[in-house]
Amino acid sequence: MAQENLEAVLNDLHCKYKSLQDGAVANYIPELAKVNPDLFSICVVTVDGEVYQVGDDKQLFTIQSISKVFAYGLALEDHGRDYVLTRVGVEPTGDAFNAIILDEQSNRPLNPMVNAGAIATTSLIKGSGPTERLNRMLNMFSRYMGHDVFVDMSVFTSERSTGHRNRAMAHLMLNFGMIDRNIEESLDLYFQQCAVMVNCYDLAVMAATLANKGINPITKDRAVDSSYIKDILSVMYTCGMYNFAGEWAYKIGIPAKSGVCGGIIAIVPNKMGIGVFSPRLDARGNSVRGVKVCEEVSQELGLHLFECSRNNSKVQPFCN
Ligand code: GLN
């Protein structure tokens, strides 16, 4: 796809959806309710390091559930696939991201992309204490973003003091021996990872790093072991958009992850990473404009992984 075309597609989509005001910002974390709902940015970074962006691309926000993808990668690196699978499954839930459910036979949370599974995943992050665990987490995010990262303290403390539902999930998993005793430490780490600050460009670079076998296409640094990319992308594909994951896979057809901040990342393996930020959410907690933009970008560029009807070898990994 020619550069001008991609730039034009993104500009058109930004123009088209700027006026869409459906949905509402997340307010169950009080600090998130303060966001300007009209913010809107789209960014694409290719595996060759080309950057295309439009809108409020410098605006910082907290990464929220998009962090789950990257924490899962770190847990896999820390323990290996087999052990992580004993603690968190890979089945889509069909339920809301904050559903309090565990698999009835194994007592595992269903997958690492919903809150219960993400808390279990974060509890696996190695370190001698809270500071080392946090630093390992932040260093991991820096490798994906290519710069130092910070936790938004007001969002962290806001969620820490109101996150009773997440605390309940942690206690339930403790009851079944799925996470270890130190649940307050793991919950703090989980709330901190959700409060890591990013902008839309960062999201796209992180997505492009996953598209580029774990190597940041801007800094050329490795962010995650390439052997775990297929695990990460598989759970994103089947579980990343919560109880919209099936429809997303069917219509848009690329691995993705959303967060209640209003961000979405989408990965086109070996091609590009897409980041969208727009805080108004639909009933499932996915950005309304974000879903629309990704749907149109996917259609426009023929990105669906199983798309075979168009003859554009540059953007069709499955059909080549
Ligand atoms: N920090 C949020 C929570 O645990 C993340 C949820 C989300 O982005 N879907 O509820």
Side-chain angles (χ1 to χ4, degrees), residues 134-146:
L134 176 61
N135 284 340
R136 291 194 66 243
M137 179 80 86
L138 295 179
N139 286 340
M140 174 273 291
F141 280 118
S142 321
R143 291 195 296 276
Y144 279 100
M145 287 185 228

Side-chain angles (χ1 to χ4, degrees), residues 264-295:
I264 296 181
I265 58 170
I267 285 90
V268 189
N270 303 317
K271 305 292 173 199
M272 64 180 89
I274 303 168
V276 188
F277 169 59
S278 170
R280 287 194 189 88
L281 309 177
D282 62 21
R284 286 132 160 170
N286 296 322
S287 167
V288 174
R289 287 172 179 160
V291 169
K292 293 268 185 216
V293 166
C294 290
E295 189 171 347

Side-chain angles (χ1 to χ4, degrees), residues 28-29 32 62-68 97-98 113-115 118-119 155 159 163 165-166 169 190-191 193-195 242 257-262 281 284-286:
Y28 74 99
I29 300 171
L32 289 188
T62 56
I63 188 168
Q64 297 301 330
S65 274
I66 299 170
S67 65
K68 293 167 179 171
F97 67 85
N98 58 1
M113 301 292 113
V114 292
N115 287 11
I119 294 166
V155 173
E159 184 164 20
R165 202 178 167 98
N166 285 330
M169 287 173 211
Y190 170 74
F191 295 141
Q193 88 178 41
C194 289
Y242 318 119
K257 182 79 195 82
S258 71
V260 290
C261 50
L281 309 177
R284 286 132 160 170
N286 296 322

Side-chain angles (χ1 to χ4, degrees), residues 128-190:
S128 57
T131 310
E132 190 180 324
R133 295 175 82 202
L134 176 61
N135 284 340
R136 291 194 66 243
M137 179 80 86
L138 295 179
N139 286 340
M140 174 273 291
F141 280 118
S142 321
R143 291 195 296 276
Y144 279 100
M145 287 185 228
H147 57 77
D148 289 344
V149 299
F150 301 94
V151 170
D152 182 321
M153 288 307 287
S154 50
V155 173
F156 164 54
T157 51
S158 180
E159 184 164 20
R160 185 199 218 187
S161 57
T162 56
H164 310 304
R165 202 178 167 98
N166 285 330
R167 201 159 268 116
M169 287 173 211
H171 279 278
L172 185 63
M173 291 189 284
L174 176 62
N175 174 64
F176 287 114
M178 278 294 126
I179 58 176
D180 71 28
R181 303 207 69 75
N182 207 347
I183 55 175
E184 284 306 321
E185 187 180 312
S186 291
L187 279 166
D188 272 0
L189 187 57
Y190 170 74

Side-chain angles (χ1 to χ4, degrees), residues 187-318:
L187 279 166
D188 272 0
L189 187 57
Y190 170 74
F191 295 141
Q192 283 163 326
Q193 88 178 41
C194 289
V196 160
M197 294 165 85
V198 290
N199 59 31
C200 194
Y201 167 74
D202 293 326
L203 289 186
V205 173
M206 295 169 91
T209 301
L210 291 175
N212 193 34
K213 305 180 179 75
I215 295 177
N216 180 317
I218 309 293
T219 64
K220 314 289 183 212
D221 288 337
R222 175 162 293 287
V224 61
D225 188 328
S226 61
S227 61
Y228 295 120
I229 293 289
K230 72 176 189 332
D231 306 292
I232 297 169
L233 295 185
S234 301
V235 283
M236 287 178 78
Y237 193 72
T238 52
C239 312
M241 301 300 285
Y242 318 119
N243 40 342
F244 186 62
E247 198 171 326
W248 175 282
Y250 187 81
K251 281 192 183 159
I252 298 164
I254 46 177
K257 182 79 195 82
S258 71
V260 290
C261 50
I264 296 181
I265 58 170
I267 285 90
V268 189
N270 303 317
K271 305 292 173 199
M272 64 180 89
I274 303 168
V276 188
F277 169 59
S278 170
R280 287 194 189 88
L281 309 177
D282 62 21
R284 286 132 160 170
N286 296 322
S287 167
V288 174
R289 287 172 179 160
V291 169
K292 293 268 185 216
V293 166
C294 290
E295 189 171 347
E296 288 212 27
V297 170
S298 175
Q299 268 164 20
E300 197 69 35
L301 307 186
L303 299 180
H304 196 298
L305 291 179
F306 311 124
E307 172 71 74
C308 296
S309 58
R310 284 196 218 170
N311 192 18
N312 179 351
S313 61
K314 186 141 192 233
V315 291
Q316 291 175 33
F318 179 64

